[in-house]
Amino acid sequence: MSGPECCSNPPILSPTAGNGTVEKVGGLHCYLTASPHSNLAVLMLSDVFGYEAPLLRKLADKVAAAGYYVVVPDLLEGDPFKPDDSLYTLPVWLKDHGPEKGADGSKPVIEALKSKGFSAIAGVGFCWGAKVVVELAKSRLIQTAVLLHPSFVSVDDFKAVDTPIAILGAESDKYSPPELVKEFEEILAAKPGVWSFVKIHPGVEHGWAVRYNTEDAEAVKAAEEAHKDLLDWLAKHLNLVMTREKWRRRNRKRMGMERGVLWEVDHHKPPPQPSTTTDHLHRHQTLFRLTTITTYLQSEKSQSRSHCEAVTLIFFTKNLHSFV
């Protein structure tokens, strides 16, 4: 699907925009902007206008200031869409720059981030970039995803997604109209093991989050609301992934376990009780494991309350069926 809405209000590109630097990561030129000592990465993928868009880089700086290492790769390899070129229309341009190709180009960047020791990676995509993020989520190459005014995505895409995901749509959007976004929401809501958040922002059009008029106070306010939703999602879900992975590594190291989850250790399970029904025994074992991990956490005085709460939340998420 293509049309003028996707390309409305094109940015004036600037290779020097933003507070970060341009460096090569995974073989691609990338705009890098980072919070010092962050071990959480955000892969921010542009719309059809590419990684030199000033408002996109401004948002990348904002996300970095919240505590993340942000990478905006040039997946278009110096060939962003040019709406003034009447011969190189969007359908023609897409033949050379399909989102699937963008997903393939993202993989070396992700591998480079992993090699640098980042414990969790989020994918954030706008318009064309949102479809790229969905492809990465389907392949489980990222730990969480945020889509803003997505294009080229389908119902079948979300049937294949089991990564925590947020979708921020516009009230006026021919690419992902509210009715279609609601379908996405229903599909995700039917997956009890997948965290999701879907919101239709009122009074805005496709592209409002990164292609707004900076002199229009209402447009700026609407964009900032989307930015807040983005940051809230990252704070809740990317940090939770990091906490989970940290505990898994810690448990492997300290307890010498092949598996890193305390409540799955055989010698922490109570012996079977033949006189107890299967369902009751399963509940008993689950509660016993929770008691074990709670006691362990309380004995670790150096662990913060937030860590304890995060691990307990993960436990209940994995074992909710035991109490139903």
Side-chain angles (χ1 to χ4, degrees):
M1 182 178 182
S2 61
E5 186 181 63
C6 176
C7 310
S8 61
N9 194 25
I12 299 175
L13 303 182
S14 172
T16 60
N19 299 326
T21 60
V22 174
E23 301 176 23
K24 275 203 169 184
V25 179
L28 290 178
H29 287 99
C30 298
Y31 176 74
L32 303 180
T33 177
S35 177
H37 313 300
S38 175
N39 61 350
L40 298 173
V42 176
L43 188 66
M44 189 172 287
L45 306 183
S46 74
D47 56 20
V48 298
F49 296 110
Y51 85 132
E52 292 182 351
L55 291 179
L56 176 67
R57 290 190 176 186
K58 182 178 180 180
L59 177 55
D61 291 338
K62 187 175 184 178
V63 173
Y68 304 101
Y69 185 94
V70 184
V71 182
V72 189
D74 180 17
L75 294 178
L76 307 180
E77 299 186 75
D79 186 29
F81 177 66
K82 302 174 181 64
D84 295 333
D85 189 341
S86 59
L87 297 179
Y88 204 36
T89 61
L90 185 60
V92 175
W93 180 87
L94 284 170
K95 291 180 180 179
D96 295 326
H97 302 289
E100 292 77 11
K101 182 179 179 181
D104 289 338
S106 300
K107 293 175 183 177
V109 179
I110 292 173
E111 289 303 316
L113 290 173
K114 289 181 178 179
S115 70
K116 292 178 181 291
F118 288 98
S119 56
I121 302 172
V124 177
F126 306 84
C127 184
W128 177 90
K131 171 63 173 177
V132 178
V133 168
V134 168
E135 293 300 316
L136 297 175
K138 286 158 62 175
S139 301
R140 299 183 180 180
L141 294 174
I142 53 178
Q143 282 66 60
T144 189
V146 184
L147 315 181
L148 297 95
H149 42 86
S151 296
F152 313 112
V153 292
S154 68
V155 166
D156 288 340
D157 283 325
F158 292 99
K159 290 179 179 179
V161 169
D162 59 6
T163 298
I165 187 169
I167 306 173
L168 306 181
E171 183 178 19
S172 176
D173 193 332
K174 293 181 180 179
Y175 276 78
S176 292
E179 298 79 15
L180 181 59
V181 174
K182 286 294 183 183
E183 288 188 54
F184 300 158
E185 182 178 25
E186 291 171 2
I187 291 169
L188 293 170
K191 299 181 177 185
V194 178
W195 280 311
S196 62
F197 172 72
V198 178
K199 179 178 178 180
I200 305 296
H201 283 250
V204 297
E205 298 180 349
H206 181 90
W208 92 97
V210 288
R211 298 207 305 267
Y212 54 92
N213 182 352
T214 56
E215 297 181 358
D216 183 335
E218 289 300 316
V220 172
K221 181 180 178 181
E224 289 179 345
E225 182 181 347
H227 302 166
K228 182 180 183 301
D229 289 339
L230 162 62
L231 290 170
D232 286 348
W233 180 265
L234 293 177
K236 291 176 183 177
H237 295 280
L238 194 56
N239 285 293
L240 182 59
V241 169
M242 180 198 69
T243 301
R244 181 182 62 193
E245 294 303 318
K246 180 179 178 180
W247 271 97
R248 283 177 175 170
R249 290 195 300 270
R250 178 186 175 93
N251 292 338
R252 290 190 188 101
K253 181 178 179 180
R254 294 190 59 178
M255 306 294 289
M257 301 175 185
E258 183 177 347
R259 300 183 69 183
V261 185
L262 284 173
W263 51 83
E264 291 179 350
V265 182
D266 289 339
H267 68 267
H268 281 168
K269 296 180 182 179
Q273 300 178 19
S275 60
T276 308
T277 64
T278 302
D279 288 343
H280 180 72
L281 177 60
H282 187 63
R283 288 186 176 88
H284 175 70
Q285 290 176 333
T286 303
L287 288 170
F288 184 90
R289 295 168 194 168
L290 178 58
T291 302
T292 301
I293 191 171
T294 302
T295 302
Y296 176 81
L297 290 172
Q298 289 174 345
S299 69
E300 295 293 307
K301 296 181 180 180
S302 63
Q303 299 307 314
S304 68
R305 180 183 179 88
S306 62
H307 279 164
C308 298
E309 291 174 347
V311 175
T312 304
L313 173 61
I314 295 168
F315 175 85
F316 274 114
T317 301
K318 286 179 173 289
N319 295 278
L320 183 61
H321 64 279
S322 301
F323 302 96
V324 177

